[in-house]
Amino acid sequence: KPSFGLYGTRKTFLFSSDSSKPILPCSSTLSEVGAGLQREFGFPVVWFGRCVIQVQFTDSGISRVLGFSSLLLNCLLIVNLVTRVRLEMEGEQLTEQETALYDRQIRVWGADAQRRLSKSHIFVYGMKGTVAEFCKNIVLAGVGSVTLMDDRAVTNEALASNFLIPPEEKVYSGKTLAELCCDSLKEFNPMVHVSVEKAELVTLGQQFFEKFDVVVISSCPPATKILINEKCRKLSKRVAFYTVECRDSCGEIFVDLQNYKYMKEATSAPWGRLQRRTSKLYFAMRVIESFEEANGRNPGVFSVEDVPAVLQLKRKLCEAQSVSESFVPDTLLERLVIGSIEFPPVCAIIGGILGQEVIKAISGKGDPVKNFFYFDVVDGKGVIEDISSRAPEADSASSKSANIITQVVLE
């Protein structure tokens, strides 16, 4: 008994007694088959004698004709190639509830992009104010799931910038930042699965990240960020990697979509080879990170007394890199040290940009940032810096630059 199939990307439909669960028996008349298919898939059926054409279905309909053959089947069919066909494949298309909820977004970036979002899985570490804004944006956008990790307790600094934390102490007492943010995010969009992962970030194996499409890291040392970035790059699938930091009224986003330099190379580029119009924030952030590493500080833990030591380190780094000290203005470093706590309005801006970049990566709509984004409220500008666009011979210089920074920090 021959069988006939419509072949989809995820599911195969068989219309014969060979199928374990045939939609229609082979003995059905042409009218019965047509009516059954109309009920099952919602598209009209046109008959052309005893010929049948096999077609390949994509997310948006028929992509190409695979071939045709004359088969002596009890019932033969061909879908109307003139009419737009959309099969409601299991797990392939949006549900009615999703379509209704995300109607306005679908009008902007299309149903196919929304479907990709609804199937995506995001991992987020470090629930600062900027990250809270980012999580709010992607949850409202309708991603499939968000996994949070941050075992830290609530502090006054966190309460000042993270709007996901309830203000009542009796509510947040005894809970971690990740748990509190998880509870709040679930209320934004019940259709998105939000969960908490409890573990040490550095102990997570490479395979842990394989179940995610996007990894976002914040509030940890550069060495940890580089470690996670390298684990994501070694996976068989492409995992979009981001880091984000907000200090006072400034913010930095790093993007690695695995089509240009990864974080270790991008953050250790030789300063002398970068154009003078490169954002001063790029150099200032490297000085701040070097100071934190040298003094064993957690990210953002500063005091006014640290300013002289930070400025001294800057002078050493500029001298070692053979660049003018004007590369890193003292006033900018002082702002980053004294005002290390996040400024909520800037959190909203940086979190919004990061959310937009992640949506771009998942949906395939729009050109992504390559590979740094900086924002400073002083001039109100958002600047994209492509640190990866260097000559090939600069790679060895990048390694030398990293060694120089390490040596200065040790001294």
Side-chain angles (χ1 to χ4, degrees), residues 89 167 190 227 274 372 407:
M89 298 181 182
L227 174 65
L274 300 178
F372 282 94
Q407 184 62 34

Side-chain angles (χ1 to χ4, degrees), residues 3 34 135 213 271 320 333 337 363 370 375 402:
S3 63
C135 289
D213 302 292
W271 292 6
L333 282 175
V337 172
S363 66
K370 180 184 178 184
F375 177 79

Side-chain angles (χ1 to χ4, degrees), residues 235-252:
L235 296 172
S236 57
K237 59 177 284 188
R238 191 192 79 164
V239 175
F241 177 85
Y242 301 82
T243 67
V244 59
E245 295 296 343
C246 181
R247 298 171 187 267
D248 187 55
S249 55
C250 302
E252 175 189 67

Side-chain angles (χ1 to χ4, degrees), residues 10-27:
R10 296 283 182 86
K11 186 175 180 181
T12 300
F13 301 97
L14 296 175
F15 306 101
S16 79
S17 57
D18 291 348
S19 174
S20 59
K21 292 183 179 180
I23 295 176
L24 294 164
C26 283
S27 59

Side-chain angles (χ1 to χ4, degrees), residues 35 47 83 94 107 136 175 194 214 218 229 262 363 376 378:
W47 301 94
T83 306
L94 298 172
R107 295 173 187 270
K136 176 258 296 181
K175 289 189 175 183
V194 186
V214 175
S218 182
N229 188 199
Y262 71 109
S363 66
D376 189 343
V378 170

Side-chain angles (χ1 to χ4, degrees), residues 152-223:
R152 294 177 299 173
V154 176
T155 62
N156 290 332
E157 290 78 6
L159 283 170
S161 60
N162 190 333
F163 70 96
L164 293 177
I165 303 174
E168 300 84 6
E169 184 175 357
K170 62 180 180 180
V171 177
Y172 68 73
S173 179
K175 289 189 175 183
T176 66
L177 286 176
E179 291 170 336
L180 291 167
C181 293
C182 178
D183 294 339
S184 298
L185 289 171
K186 288 179 179 179
E187 297 178 3
F188 279 90
N189 190 348
M191 296 187 68
V192 177
H193 179 69
V194 186
S195 61
V196 174
E197 182 75 25
K198 292 188 176 182
E200 290 292 332
L201 181 61
V202 294
T203 64
L204 295 175
Q206 180 177 312
Q207 296 306 312
F208 171 82
F209 298 99
E210 193 164 19
K211 57 188 175 182
F212 299 104
D213 302 292
V214 175
V215 171
V216 177
I217 304 295
S218 182
S219 307
C220 62

